[in-house]
Amino acid sequence: MTEKKIFKTFLFWNFDKEEKWLNDMSAQGWQLEKVKFSFYYKFYKGKPNEYTYRLDYLNGGKKKNKEYLDFLQSFDVQKVGQYLNWVYLAKENTDNEEEFELFSDNQSRIDYLNKLIRLSIILLVFSILLFLYSLLFRGTKYYKLLFILSIVDILMWVLCYFKLDEKKKILKNENIVSE
């Protein structure tokens, strides 16, 4: 079996680009076998478009997440990998089925983005607290490093919030246009 290992990074708010990339790899016959640390991907050579891949963010607690994954498995959706709460899902493509989608309409996509926005706000608050904590180390040799890292972290989560909010606004506008 031929395999390919790829190191590639996607930012938190680019989950849709990561999903598209995985499906482009599938179209070339490279099927996802394993994901580690959200930047290491292992593929095996299979048939082109053998699987459709989707990403989801789980935040329902261990029991609820297991029930959700068991529910998806009843529809032949497999969990290929997981990093923290990001789960990588695959469904084999068949001629007689519609394309595999996790969200059936724009409102469910908006709800999903709201969940990610809430997470980004929580992480932003945590980053601000970390920044304030770093101020306690003024005058030490690690202060500059902690200060810079916490500022970068804050900026990243602020950007994340705005990127996710932008995606949400696009979906809301699509809802308005379609009505």
Side-chain angles (χ1 to χ4, degrees):
M1 177 164 76
T2 307
E3 65 179 43
K4 180 187 281 198
K5 297 173 186 173
I6 298 176
F7 293 89
K8 190 170 178 78
T9 303
F10 292 91
L11 296 172
F12 180 81
W13 58 85
N14 285 333
F15 61 91
D16 48 349
K17 289 181 181 176
E18 182 178 8
E19 196 174 88
K20 182 183 179 326
W21 175 71
L22 291 170
N23 287 303
D24 289 346
M25 293 296 289
S26 178
Q28 298 168 32
W30 291 104
Q31 306 309 322
L32 185 62
E33 183 177 345
K34 182 189 263 184
V35 180
K36 283 187 180 179
F37 308 112
S38 82
F39 61 81
Y40 168 84
Y41 302 86
K42 184 177 177 185
F43 297 89
Y44 67 89
K45 191 65 172 166
K47 296 183 287 185
N49 290 313
E50 188 172 355
Y51 289 94
T52 298
Y53 297 96
R54 298 288 177 237
L55 275 69
D56 201 355
Y57 184 80
L58 305 176
N59 70 339
K62 202 172 202 172
K63 183 179 178 187
K64 195 171 181 181
N65 290 346
K66 184 181 177 341
E67 288 172 1
Y68 173 66
L69 292 173
D70 289 345
F71 170 74
L72 289 177
Q73 195 171 20
S74 71
F75 292 98
D76 299 321
V77 176
Q78 308 163 27
K79 180 176 98 170
V80 180
Q82 186 169 348
Y83 175 67
L84 299 175
N85 285 15
W86 282 107
V87 65
Y88 293 77
L89 304 167
K91 183 165 182 6
E92 189 171 5
N93 292 322
T94 59
D95 294 335
N96 57 351
E97 288 186 25
E98 291 182 25
E99 185 177 338
F100 166 47
E101 291 288 343
L102 285 175
F103 308 108
S104 57
D105 59 8
N106 273 357
Q107 187 56 51
S108 60
R109 287 179 182 89
I110 290 169
D111 293 343
Y112 179 66
L113 288 171
N114 281 333
K115 179 169 63 169
L116 297 178
I117 287 170
R118 281 191 299 277
L119 175 65
S120 71
I121 290 170
I122 289 168
L123 293 171
L124 173 61
V125 169
F126 179 75
S127 297
I128 291 169
L129 291 173
L130 189 63
F131 168 74
L132 294 173
Y133 181 72
S134 76
L135 295 177
L136 296 175
F137 291 94
R138 262 186 275 173
T140 67
K141 65 180 178 177
Y142 298 110
Y143 171 70
K144 287 181 183 176
L145 177 64
L146 281 172
F147 182 81
I148 291 168
L149 288 175
S150 59
I151 292 294
V152 168
D153 200 36
I154 288 169
L155 292 174
M156 183 186 76
W157 292 115
V158 167
L159 181 62
C160 177
Y161 170 84
F162 284 110
K163 292 287 188 178
L164 291 170
D165 192 56
E166 182 181 320
K167 290 178 186 206
K168 186 173 92 171
K169 285 177 184 172
I170 290 168
L171 288 174
K172 281 184 174 183
N173 285 337
E174 287 177 9
N175 276 351
I176 292 169
V177 170
S178 65
E179 291 177 351

